[in-house]
Amino acid sequence: MNKILIFDTTLRDGEQVPGAKLNLPQKIKIAKQLEALNVDYIEAGFPASSKGDFDAVKNVAMAIGENGPVVTALARANKNDIDAVYNSVKVAKKPMIHMVLGTSNIHVEKKFNKSKDQIMSLGVDAVKYAKTLLPDVQYSTEDASRSDFEYLWETIEAVVKAGATIVNVPDTVGYAVPEEFGELIRKLHDRLMNINDKVILSVHCHNDTGLAVANSLIAVKNGATKLECTMNGIGERAGNAALEEVAMGIKVREDYYKAYTGINTREIKKTSSMVSNLMGLDIQVNKAITGENAFAHSSGIHQDGLLKSRDVYEIIRPEDVGVEEMELVLTARSGRHALKDALEKMGFDSFTDETFAKIHEKFLELADKKKEVYFHDLYYIMEKDFANEFNHLHENGKSIDLYEFVDFQVISNNVYPSATITLKKGKELFTESTVGDGPIDAVYTALRKIVNMDLKLVEYKINSISQGKEALGRASIQVIYEGKGYHSRAVDTDIIKASALAYINAINKILLENAS
Ligand code: KIV
Ligand code: ZN
């Protein structure tokens, strides 16, 4: 089994995404989380680009502990950039210099307007200089996948002789296709083994045609032992190979790749949400591993299969990537089996066929109205319409009134955004009015006052899930209550109402959990 080293460049290639600039505390927060994720390398920035970047790299270098990852940063192959990297990473427990210089004809001729020999000797001199500063030096042959193979190899051979300890082969513009890229890596690997088998062969793949992960994985199959990637696949243009996808790709098919990584996969979801929230970059809902729907099963056939045995439709356990719960989101298309299972999980476990048919009918009515039905909605149906049939629940004290949305009014303006909201619980009505930093904050503050619970909102997202005048907005939130995280969602044509409903859903979830 080969250990595959994971090099995270979220803070360098990832931060090149327009609008994704982070401040210093945010960078340190992400770097510490990458340490918890147990990546092998953190590329913390491009220190020659600005004083801010230099300081950020230096602070990350100081923040990472001695058992943590190697800290590096990017330099072009010149003294000034290399000095900037050295001076910013030297405080790290395990520092490394990373430099990049193109090898493709396009780069050599059009970008540098030099001869291939001139470029190669610039690279060799840069490595020799970097070696006078630190023992670990990575050399990236930019645009390797579009380079003339023999020139690429001559460059690699020369920089390895000059002391490079890692050779990184980037598919800078996402041009590579898996079979061809695998073949390139295999040839480089075989030659590299002949000249120095201690040198690490690495790849850095971009996603311009959606192949970054596939190209990274085929590279592993062909001898690469280090992968460069970013959280959520963010990065220049279409982004880089997604860390969570390569790590889980290798883990799920360890038998095929004969490899493993040191990634603490249970930290994946947390890291992904942190990067998304701090950078303000949404994750598409169906994104592999970290998308909101990555573990949601909504079709009746799938829910039915899954309930018989999880492995029917699940190759990754959500908890293995840090997703706390797998709630089957019931929709009008969910089958009877899924509905029955949800009811049983809630304690409604013995009903006649006739009662179940009635419950199913009520469920379909609600699903048509609400689009998505959650556990507490089912609870509400049962309480409202079937209480007599299930009075054993009342007897053992499980019965509990949940909050119901009644009405709201929201005023959004520059000075005092405010909200008035009315909820019902049992027969009682509750109304609160508050101001907030914005309309959603005002709504959430009013809700908190009504329920009198200490809830901390840690994630809030709003997405459009249909088009046109009747477009639905889906609000997805996470709140923390007594140290535990609760996810919830709600859909409505009014996004502020969807936001309020998602919060009420979370409250009801907590009430239900604490009642049982
Ligand atoms: O895409 C690229 O070639 C890079 C290098 C700096 C590795 O980001
Ligand atoms: Zn890149």
Side-chain angles (χ1 to χ4, degrees), residues 9 12-13 16 43 74-75 98-101 107 138 140-144 168-173 204-206 228 236-237 240:
T9 180
R12 198 276 299 165
D13 216 318
Q16 287 169 212
E43 185 166 51
L74 185 65
H98 174 200
M99 72 183 72
V100 60
L101 187 60
H107 277 233
Q138 165 166 317
S140 284
T141 52
E142 194 179 14
D143 207 16
N168 182 41
V169 180
D171 179 27
T172 302
V173 290
H204 172 112
C205 298
H206 276 273
E228 298 204 353
E236 192 73 27
R237 307 180 309 281
N240 293 63

Side-chain angles (χ1 to χ4, degrees), residues 66-78:
E66 62 185 315
N67 297 321
V70 171
V71 179
T72 189
L74 185 65
R76 289 162 294 193
N78 65 57

Side-chain angles (χ1 to χ4, degrees), residues 403-408 421-424 447 497 500-501 504:
Y403 285 99
E404 241 181 283
F405 173 85
V406 177
D407 198 8
F408 77 142
I421 187 148
T422 303
L423 301 186
K424 192 171 157 200
L447 287 171
K497 187 171 166 201
L501 293 175
I504 297 168

